[in-house]
């Protein structure tokens, strides 16, 4: 019983850190990187909350009134153009998870599951003169290890591969210094045979508008994931009450410093199921380059 609680807790904390985690700097949007150009982002995200969304979407205290979940994630995300119309993304997180209640304090820290994406645009097949940016992005999340089934350890992974496919669009509003962008897609989640569980697949969406005024950068986004019920594989049983959903409002302000931008923002949950309900605060730095470093 206690082991099941800790495993569910770890998944809940981890899944909350992933939403909104992989996104490009505002100035790049859905435009596929030219060969040799790219960007890298270092971001810290922190959440400290005593509340969660239950299975019906109601905000309530964690499993008991004194429970407190603290999640801090440092992630490095980057992209580089491989050739015309094709770039590659990588995302590597480091997590520190804590859950404190009246009985004990549980903590885990370490490297999370990395994700790798390939993104293709129309230029890959010789189409350059489109009025909007369009791209198709596909990727995989690779678990670094097995889930440690220990009542005192919050796991840093759910232990299975995930596959994603997303369609992206974006447009500049020139001559105004503004842009709009969006994507929608699907995440397929493999089963974990050791836990006899297959997490629910997820439908993903994201939409944003942003712009700049001199050195000031701004962006307002909506990010969402709507999960299907997970499967208990040993009984072929769909767990309807365990499906996860999260919709967030993400305001961000930035200031150009040197070759990049310092950005501060928040991820404000407005609707969810079976995930933390507290805000996530972020601070990061985007470094971009527009010429291949070897030239």
């Amino acid at each position: 019983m206690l082991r099941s609680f800790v495993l569910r807790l770890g998944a809940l904390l981890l899944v909350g850190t992933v939403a909104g985690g992989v996104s490009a700097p505002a100035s790049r949007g859905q435009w596929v990187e030219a060969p040799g150009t790219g960007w890298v982002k270092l971001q810290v995200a922190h959440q400290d909350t005593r509340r969660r969304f239950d299975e019906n979407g109601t905000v309530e205290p964690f499993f008991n009134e004194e429970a407190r979940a603290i999640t801090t994630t440092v992630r490095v995300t980057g992209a580089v153009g491989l050739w015309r119309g094709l770039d590659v993304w990588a995302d590597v997180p480091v997590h520190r998870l804590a859950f404190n209640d009246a009985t004990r304090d549980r903590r885990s820290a370490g490297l999370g599951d990395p994700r790798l994406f390939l993104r293709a645009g129309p230029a890959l097949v010789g189409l350059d003169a489109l009025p909007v940016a369009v791209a198709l992005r596909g990727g995989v999340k690779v678990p670094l290890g097995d889930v440690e089934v220990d009542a005192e350890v919050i796991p840093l992974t759910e232990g299975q591969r995930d596959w994603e496919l997303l369609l992206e669009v974006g447009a500049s509003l020139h001559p105004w210094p503004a842009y709009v962008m969006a994507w929608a897609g699907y995440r397929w989640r493999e089963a974990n045979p050791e836990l006899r569980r297959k997490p629910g697949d997820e439908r993903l969406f994201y939409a944003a508008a942003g712009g700049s005024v001199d050195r000031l950068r701004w962006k307002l986004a909506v990010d969402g994931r709507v999960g299907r019920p997970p499967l208990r594989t040993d009984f072929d049983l769909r767990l309807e009450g365990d499906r996860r959903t999260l919709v967030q409002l993400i305001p961000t302000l930035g200031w150009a410093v040197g070759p990049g931008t310092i950005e501060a923002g928040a991820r404000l949950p407005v609707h969810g199921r079976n995930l933390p309900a507290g805000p996530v605060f972020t601070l990061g730095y985007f470094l971009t380059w527009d010429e291949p470093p070897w030239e």
Side-chain angles (χ1 to χ4, degrees):
M1 180 73 173
L2 184 57
R3 288 184 177 183
S4 175
F5 161 77
V6 173
L7 287 171
R8 182 173 178 179
L9 170 66
L12 184 144
L13 295 179
L14 266 180
V15 174
T17 69
V18 174
V22 181
S23 59
S27 60
R28 315 301 273 221
Q30 267 46 67
W31 285 259
V32 175
E33 296 296 325
T37 70
W39 54 268
V40 63
K41 174 176 71 172
L42 175 65
Q43 185 187 73
V44 179
H46 182 75
Q47 182 183 56
D48 186 343
T49 182
R50 297 179 183 272
R51 304 179 71 79
R52 72 180 186 107
F53 293 106
D54 69 8
E55 63 274 12
N56 298 312
T58 302
V59 177
E60 64 174 15
F62 260 110
F63 306 106
N64 60 64
E65 289 286 347
E66 299 190 24
R68 177 186 179 193
I70 305 171
T71 302
T72 303
T73 296
V74 178
R75 65 191 330 124
V76 178
T77 308
V80 63
L82 299 179
W83 55 80
R84 282 176 56 83
L86 186 69
D87 62 17
V88 59
W89 290 38
D91 172 65
V92 180
V94 177
H95 303 298
R96 185 183 186 276
L97 310 178
F99 186 80
N100 308 327
D101 61 15
T103 60
R104 61 175 57 85
D105 295 346
R106 300 179 180 88
R107 291 182 174 85
S108 292
L111 191 63
D113 295 339
R115 290 186 284 173
L116 184 67
F117 298 86
L118 280 176
R119 184 172 62 162
L124 187 64
V125 293
L127 299 176
D128 294 319
L130 296 182
V132 297
V134 180
L136 190 65
R137 173 157 54 104
V140 59
K141 184 204 78 173
V142 181
L144 291 184
D146 297 328
V147 176
E148 186 175 354
V149 183
D150 188 320
E152 301 303 319
V153 177
I154 302 175
L156 295 170
T157 177
E158 289 187 274
Q160 86 292 322
R161 281 186 299 266
D162 293 344
W163 301 86
E164 297 181 23
L165 186 64
L166 304 107
L167 178 63
E168 308 182 348
V169 295
S172 169
L173 301 182
H174 182 78
W176 297 285
Y179 64 90
V180 292
M181 55 189 283
W183 69 62
Y186 197 84
R187 177 179 291 144
W188 292 269
R189 316 192 74 193
E190 294 187 9
N192 187 323
E194 293 184 4
L195 299 181
R196 300 184 296 278
R197 183 182 177 93
K198 180 187 179 301
D201 294 347
E202 295 174 330
R203 289 163 288 178
L204 311 172
F205 65 88
Y206 179 91
S212 61
V213 180
D214 295 326
R215 298 172 68 182
L216 177 68
R217 309 287 187 262
W218 65 272
K219 181 170 67 173
L220 183 62
V222 176
D223 176 87
R225 54 192 302 171
V226 180
R228 298 185 182 278
L231 175 68
R232 180 73 183 267
T233 55
D234 50 349
F235 296 115
D236 196 27
L237 176 65
R238 290 286 177 186
L239 305 174
E240 291 289 340
D242 287 353
R243 66 169 71 224
R244 296 172 182 148
T245 296
L246 187 62
V247 179
Q248 304 175 104
L249 185 67
I250 309 175
T252 306
L253 287 176
W255 190 260
V257 176
T261 303
I262 295 176
E263 289 198 351
R267 300 202 291 268
L268 308 174
V270 296
H271 174 66
R273 281 184 172 184
N274 295 309
L275 284 172
V280 178
F281 299 100
T282 62
L283 182 65
Y285 186 74
F286 295 126
L287 175 66
T288 62
W289 64 94
D290 293 314
E291 297 291 340
W294 53 82
E295 291 186 356

